[in-house]
Amino acid sequence: MKKTGAQILCESLIKEGVEVIFGILGGAVLPIYDTFPQYPQLRHILVRHEQGAAHAADGYARATHKVGVCIATSGPGATNLVTGIANAYMDSSPVVAITGQVARPFIGKDAFQEADITGIMLPITKHNYLVSSAGELASTVKEAFHIAQTGRLGPVLIDIPRDVQQEEAEFVYPDKVDLPGYRFVSRGHSAQIKKAVKLINKAESPLIIAGRGITISQAYSELKELAEKAQIPVVTTLLGISSFPGNHILNLGMLGMHGTAYANLAVQNADLIIAIGMRFDDRATANTKGFAPYAHIIHIDIDPAEIGKNVPADVPIVGDVKNVLKAMNKEIDGKTHLEWLSQLDQWKYEHPSLEIGQSDKLLPQYVIRQIYEATQGDAIVVTGVGQNQMWAAQHFVYTKPNSLISAGGLGTMGFELPGAMGAKVGCPEETVWCIAGDGGFQMTIQELATITQENIAIKIAIINNGYLGMVRQWQELFYEHRYVDTKLWNPDFVKIAEAYDIPGIRVKHREEVIPAIYKAMDYPGAFLIDFVVEPEENVYPIVPPGESLTKILEPPRPEVLGKGAKY
Ligand SMILES: Cc1ncc(C[n+]2csc(CCOP(=O)(O)OP(=O)(O)O)c2C)c(N)n1
Ligand SMILES: [Mg+2]
C-alpha cells in the first residue's frame, strides 16, 4: 500500500521503537506534523527552542540507552539544533535529528528558510542524509538508527524536503541495512588482549581510568570484576563518573583539571594505566607531555581513531569494552597490590581534596552534598557547565550506574534544563535533579514552559553565585583578579518559576537547605530551588591550564587543609 513520505517516516520511527520526539514545527515539516495524529504511539513534546529539542533528545538517549529523536523545520529551526547536535557528537550520544528542507525544486535557490543543514552538520554528525525521494525514506531511517546506535555512538541527521514528505511511495521496512563501507569491531583482538593481561598480571601499581564507554556498553559489572579481582584502583573521567560506584573503596574519584589530588597522583605514579572507553580528553590528561610518566598504557576503545590520538598506547585494543573486559577478566590473576593501595591511602590522608569546610556561609558544595544525602544517590543528576558541574561531579556520590548526565566534551551551558527534561521523560520513575548554573539556566530557561505543558516533574537546583562562576574563577586565579563581565544581574528565579506555574523557593542560609530539598522532593511536580550561594567560592583542586597533573592547587582554607598538604 502506498503511503506519503510523512507516513513512511512515522511508521519507520515506530518500527525503530521510538516513543518520544522533541521538536518545534514550521512550514517545512508541516506534512510530518499533520500525520502525527494518525500515530498516537509517537509522543511529540513541543519545546520552546530547537536547542532544547536536541539537548532533550540527548538527555533522553543517555538516560535510557535508546536513541533520542528531535525534529525541526528548515533554515533557522535546523540551525538552532546545531549546538545540541554538536554536544551529542562530542559525548557519543545516539540522537537522530530530523529536519524539514525546502521542496526539491527550491534547493540551491536561497529559498525562504533554506539552509544547507547537511553541509553545516557534516563535521558534527556521524552521518547525514538529504532524502531525495519518499521511496528512500524507510531505508534511510533504518540506516540512520543503525549508525547512531552501533560502533561509537553518535548523532545522525535526516534532512527531508517538504515535497518528499508529501510524495507517495510503497512502504516496506527493510529487515537489515546494507552498508558495506560501515564497519566496527566489537570483539577485541585476542593477541592484544593477551598482551594486556600479561602487563596487568605483572604490574605493581596499576590504575584503571574509566570513561563513558563503560556506561555506554553497560560494562559496570565487568569493570567491577576487573578492579576487585586484581585490586586495581579506579579513577574516572567526568563522563565516567557513575560507571563505578562512588562509594567503592577502590574508587579514587575523578582525574584531571578538577580531579582529586590522589586520583591525579595515582595517574602520575602508576606503572600501568588501563584506559577503558575514554579518549584522553585534555581536561582529563592536563598537559599530555607530563602525563603518566612511568606508565605503560593499555587503551581500550571502540573507535580506532581514538587510539594514539592524544596519548600513545603501548597496547591498543579496539572493541566494545564489555566484550574486551569479559575476555580479559578470564585471564587476570587475583592480586592485592598492598603497597600501592597503602600509598594511595597515604595520599588521600595528606590531600583530603573533597572535604567541605565548616562555614556559616551557604557553600555550593554543601548544597550538592545535601541533595546526595536526601536522595541517597537514588537519582539522575543532570548538570550545567562550569563550577556547578564540577561541584556536582565532586560532591554527589554516584552509587547508581549511569546517574550523572553532563555536557562533557562540548561543555555546553544551557544543557542542564532540557537535558534533565529528556532524562525525566525517558525515565519517569526516576528522581531527576537538574543542577543549574545561574548563567547556564538562562540560556535555555524557556524550556520551563515545556516542563509545565508536558508535566515533566524535574527538581531544579540553581547554584546561584551571581557570576559566570567558572570564568570568574579563572579571572581570579589566572588574570590577577580582573573580573571583566563575569558578574551577572539575575532576575528573581522564584518569580520566574511561578510565572511558568512551577513552585519555587529561595534558600540563602545553610539551615534552610535540607528542608528545601525535602519540600522539592515531596512535591509531585516540577519544583525549583534558587540556592543563593557564596559568590566567590572556587572549585578545588584545580590543575592550572597548561600544567601537568602533578601541579595541583588545593583549597587555601585552613579548615579543610589535611596534614601535610602543600601549596
Ligand atoms: C554556551 C557556552 N558559552 C560560554 C561558555 C564558557 N563558560 C564556561 S563555564 C561558564 C560560566 C558558567 O556560568 P554559570 O552557568 O553561572 O555556572 P557557574 O560556573 O557559575 O556554576 C562560561 C561562560 C560555555 N561553556 N558554554
Ligand atoms: Mg553562576
Side-chain angles (χ1 to χ4, degrees):
M1 205 176 93
K2 286 204 160 182
K3 293 185 184 288
T4 65
Q7 288 172 319
I8 292 172
L9 173 70
C10 291
E11 304 235 357
S12 303
L13 293 175
I14 291 165
K15 292 270 186 205
E16 288 299 328
V18 173
E19 291 168 354
V20 184
I21 304 171
F22 300 91
I24 302 190
L25 56 179
V29 282
L30 260 180
I32 297 172
Y33 274 79
D34 197 44
T35 59
F36 278 160
Q38 297 167 29
Y39 302 98
Q41 32 317 34
L42 293 174
R43 175 182 177 195
H44 177 261
I45 292 188
L46 177 67
V47 296
R48 295 301 186 273
H49 186 295
E50 291 82 355
Q51 182 184 349
H55 286 325
D58 181 354
Y60 176 95
R62 296 192 208 200
T64 60
H65 295 285
K66 294 194 253 180
V67 175
V69 180
C70 57
I71 181 165
T73 193
S74 65
T79 55
N80 271 354
L81 288 176
V82 167
T83 299
I85 296 301
N87 190 67
Y89 184 71
M90 290 287 272
D91 288 348
S92 307
S93 183
V95 169
V96 167
I98 298 159
T99 47
Q101 182 53 276
V102 298
R104 284 167 294 185
F106 293 99
I107 292 179
K109 303 266 166 78
D110 289 339
F112 177 65
Q113 294 193 325
E114 183 183 5
D116 173 13
I117 198 64
T118 50
I120 291 168
M121 290 220 200
L122 188 70
I124 54 163
T125 46
K126 198 171 160 188
H127 195 58
N128 67 40
Y129 298 89
L130 173 58
V131 183
S132 58
S133 72
E136 285 168 28
L137 248 173
S139 61
T140 302
V141 173
K142 178 87 189 168
E143 283 180 19
F145 276 76
H146 178 70
I147 292 169
Q149 62 190 322
T150 53
R152 179 177 183 162
L153 313 188
V156 178
L157 168 71
I158 308 175
D159 193 27
I160 314 172
R162 190 177 197 274
D163 57 334
V164 170
Q165 299 165 29
Q166 291 163 317
E167 186 179 63
E168 292 198 333
E170 285 298 329
F171 174 61
V172 187
Y173 202 64
D175 297 330
K176 325 196 250 304
V177 290
D178 180 23
L179 290 168
Y182 175 66
R183 296 227 176 85
F184 53 91
V185 179
S186 55
R187 252 157 240 293
H189 195 285
S190 59
Q192 293 300 92
I193 292 175
K194 271 210 177 83
K195 273 192 214 163
V197 166
K198 234 183 176 172
L199 281 179
I200 295 171
N201 285 344
K202 70 168 207 252
E204 287 179 5
S205 45
L207 180 72
I208 292 168
I209 305 181
R212 177 160 146 76
I214 304 282
T215 299
I216 291 173
S217 97
Q218 299 185 64
Y220 315 110
S221 57
E222 289 77 9
L223 171 64
K224 204 155 163 254
E225 186 182 337
L226 172 65
E228 287 178 352
K229 194 169 172 191
Q231 286 295 297
I232 306 176
V234 177
V235 303
T236 67
T237 64
L238 173 67
L239 297 191
I241 291 175
S242 86
S243 68
F244 189 69
N247 56 355
H248 196 289
I249 183 104
L250 290 167
N251 194 337
L252 301 177
M254 182 169 72
L255 86 161
M257 180 174 271
H258 293 294
T260 59
Y262 34 92
N264 289 344
L265 288 169
V267 173
Q268 295 305 87
N269 289 280
D271 68 355
L272 177 67
I273 282 180
I274 310 154
I276 312 174
M278 59 83 73
R279 57 185 180 80
F280 294 103
D281 174 80
D282 54 271
R283 284 294 188 267
T285 59
N287 191 334
T288 49
K289 262 199 192 130
F291 181 76
Y294 310 117
H296 283 109
I297 293 183
I298 298 168
H299 189 184
I300 308 168
D301 202 287
I302 196 147
D303 184 355
E306 288 301 342
I307 306 286
K309 187 179 84 180
N310 296 332
V311 168
D314 297 288
V315 183
I317 306 176
V318 176
D320 182 298
V321 300
K322 193 180 180 89
N323 292 333
V324 174
L325 289 180
K326 265 193 181 147
M328 261 168 51
N329 284 344
K330 285 190 196 138
E331 313 292 331
I332 297 291
D333 295 340
K335 284 273 161 80
T336 56
H337 294 302
L338 279 181
E339 220 173 293
W340 175 226
L341 293 178
S342 67
Q343 170 66 75
L344 291 167
D345 279 345
Q346 179 68 23
W347 284 329
K348 273 189 189 171
Y349 175 72
E350 289 171 0
H351 306 272
S353 300
L354 301 182
E355 241 167 55
I356 303 171
Q358 284 303 319
S359 170
D360 296 337
K361 295 177 177 157
L362 183 52
L363 296 180
Q365 299 94 324
Y366 175 78
V367 171
I368 302 289
R369 185 74 200 187
Q370 293 314 317
I371 294 175
Y372 163 69
E373 295 291 348
T375 57
Q376 282 299 299
D378 190 10
I380 297 175
V381 172
V382 184
T383 77
V385 168
Q387 293 184 313
N388 66 86
Q389 178 183 37
M390 292 300 119
W391 288 318
Q394 293 174 330
H395 296 282
F396 192 98
V397 185
Y398 297 88
T399 49
K400 209 162 96 159
N402 197 20
S403 50
L404 172 65
I405 294 179
S406 194
L410 197 67
T412 313
M413 285 168 72
F415 174 75
E416 54 265 64
L417 192 60
M421 222 165 71
K424 181 68 181 173
V425 168
C427 302
E429 305 305 321
E430 300 277 353
T431 301
V432 175
W433 274 93
C434 166
I435 308 290
D438 48 335
F441 186 63
Q442 293 181 77
M443 289 197 175
T444 46
I445 195 168
Q446 67 285 344
E447 300 310 333
L448 290 173
T450 311
I451 286 165
T452 298
Q453 185 163 356
E454 292 285 335
N455 239 326
I456 304 170
I458 61 169
K459 312 299 169 188
I460 303 162
I462 303 179
I463 305 299
N464 183 356
N465 50 12
Y467 279 107
L468 296 168
M470 186 56 93
V471 185
R472 182 209 57 74
Q473 176 170 346
W474 281 43
Q475 290 173 332
E476 178 188 332
L477 299 180
F478 312 125
Y479 289 82
E480 296 164 339
H481 225 289
R482 289 189 298 277
Y483 292 178
V484 180
D485 287 341
T486 37
K487 182 126 189 83
L488 295 173
W489 174 89
N490 283 327
D492 180 330
F493 290 120
V494 175
K495 278 193 189 157
I496 293 255
E498 279 165 6
Y500 282 101
D501 216 8
I502 294 170
I505 44 178
R506 179 164 303 107
V507 169
K508 289 184 165 173
H509 304 106
R510 201 178 162 95
E511 59 279 8
E512 298 161 357
V513 171
I514 297 172
I517 293 169
Y518 279 100
K519 194 164 177 193
M521 297 215 302
D522 289 344
Y523 186 76
F527 197 97
L528 179 146
I529 311 175
D530 179 21
F531 288 105
V532 182
V533 299
E534 187 52 21
E536 298 194 30
E537 186 64 16
N538 284 337
V539 178
Y540 284 107
I542 177 170
V543 174
E547 301 284 356
S548 81
L549 282 182
T550 33
K551 174 91 196 246
I552 303 159
L553 303 182
E554 290 178 87
R557 279 200 306 271
E559 66 272 22
V560 297
L561 293 185
K563 272 190 194 149
K566 291 184 195 75
Y567 301 96

